[in-house]
Amino acid sequence: MANSKSLIAYFSRKGNNYVGGDIVNLPIGNTEVTAKKIQNLTGSDIFQIKPVKSYPDDYTETTNVAKEEQRKDARPELTETVNNMDSYDVICIGYPNWYGTMPMAVFTFLEGYDFSGKTIVPFCTHEGSGMGSSERDIKKLCPLSKVLSGLAVRGGSVERADKDISDWLKKLDLIQ
Ligand SMILES: Cc1cc2nc3c(=O)[nH]c(=O)nc-3n(C[C@H](O)[C@H](O)[C@H](O)COP(=O)(O)O)c2cc1C
């Protein structure tokens, strides 16, 4: 990303979540931890994708809301927009895998801007499903963008993922 301006945009839900077979309380969401590690390595700007209506504190209640949003192909409204999106060449987009793809708020985000000609770099955290169909879904939402190969990190392993993250960024030629 040496000669291009880059932005990390991520969705992450801290608090009550399911990690490695247990319900735990995450002080910082797994995807947020990963996004910050990418920021440390790349020096990118960073933006959190936040829905106006936040998800319930309870994990199971959140799964019910998320399932319903996916069924309805909903586009939850977001609290903030990126004003200077035109100035970015590379957009790293991060999210938890929710039912095989991105949370619907990330669909809202990707439909909200013109990413034509930009490079999109997906990454996700998950509990076994990896990237799911998210890369295909991003390509559908952003057909005129170059979508690079994504990185999937196990939620329970984010604190140990530094090498995986830097290897991936090097492989994509985004850092040296
Ligand atoms: C609503 C919901 C649905 C989920 N669906 C999946 C799934 O289909 N596959 C999977 O591997 N993990 C799934 N997970 C687990 C999350 O992807 C995982 O906990 C992730 O690291 C959470 O990231 P966050 O803390 O940044 O929100 C789900 C979690 C939630 C809350």
Side-chain angles (χ1 to χ4, degrees):
M1 297 187 200
N3 299 318
S4 50
K5 195 166 175 218
S6 56
L7 174 73
I8 301 164
Y10 70 95
F11 173 99
S12 187
R13 177 185 160 275
K14 67 178 179 197
N16 194 224
N17 208 337
Y18 179 85
V19 180
D22 293 312
I23 296 289
V24 297
N25 233 20
L26 298 172
I28 304 174
N30 293 327
T31 311
E32 180 162 351
V33 172
T34 309
K36 297 264 163 79
K37 287 181 185 293
I38 295 172
Q39 187 192 25
N40 280 339
L41 290 163
T42 60
S44 306
D45 293 343
I46 194 157
F47 174 83
Q48 186 170 10
I49 301 168
K50 279 188 261 171
V52 170
K53 196 164 180 284
S54 50
Y55 289 92
D57 290 337
D58 181 71
Y59 166 76
T60 309
E61 284 177 32
T62 295
T63 62
N64 291 333
V65 174
K67 240 181 264 176
E68 185 58 13
E69 283 181 350
Q70 195 180 68
R71 194 189 61 77
K72 290 196 300 204
D73 199 21
R75 295 292 184 270
E77 196 190 332
L78 306 180
T79 55
E80 282 173 64
T81 51
V82 177
N83 295 321
N84 55 340
M85 189 62 91
D86 284 355
S87 66
Y88 296 106
D89 311 299
V90 177
I91 319 293
C92 298
I93 179 94
Y95 43 86
N97 183 321
W98 278 13
Y99 297 113
T101 188
M102 307 167 282
M104 300 319 290
V106 180
F107 284 71
T108 309
F109 178 83
L110 289 173
E111 282 178 356
Y113 303 88
D114 179 7
F115 291 108
S116 307
K118 297 186 192 294
T119 299
I120 299 186
V121 188
F123 64 97
C124 84
T125 66
H126 67 102
E127 277 300 310
S129 309
M131 299 299 290
S133 64
S134 62
E135 291 164 297
R136 281 195 298 284
D137 294 338
I138 292 170
K139 284 177 188 161
K140 266 188 235 156
L141 292 167
C142 309
L144 300 176
S145 305
K146 184 175 179 191
V147 182
L148 302 186
S149 177
L151 177 74
V153 183
R154 275 260 181 188
S157 306
V158 289
E159 292 295 355
R160 302 186 294 277
D162 298 62
K163 186 171 183 306
D164 288 348
I165 294 169
S166 60
D167 285 353
W168 166 67
L169 290 169
K170 280 178 197 161
K171 199 171 156 195
L172 296 180
D173 235 359
L174 296 175
I175 58 168
Q176 300 224 311

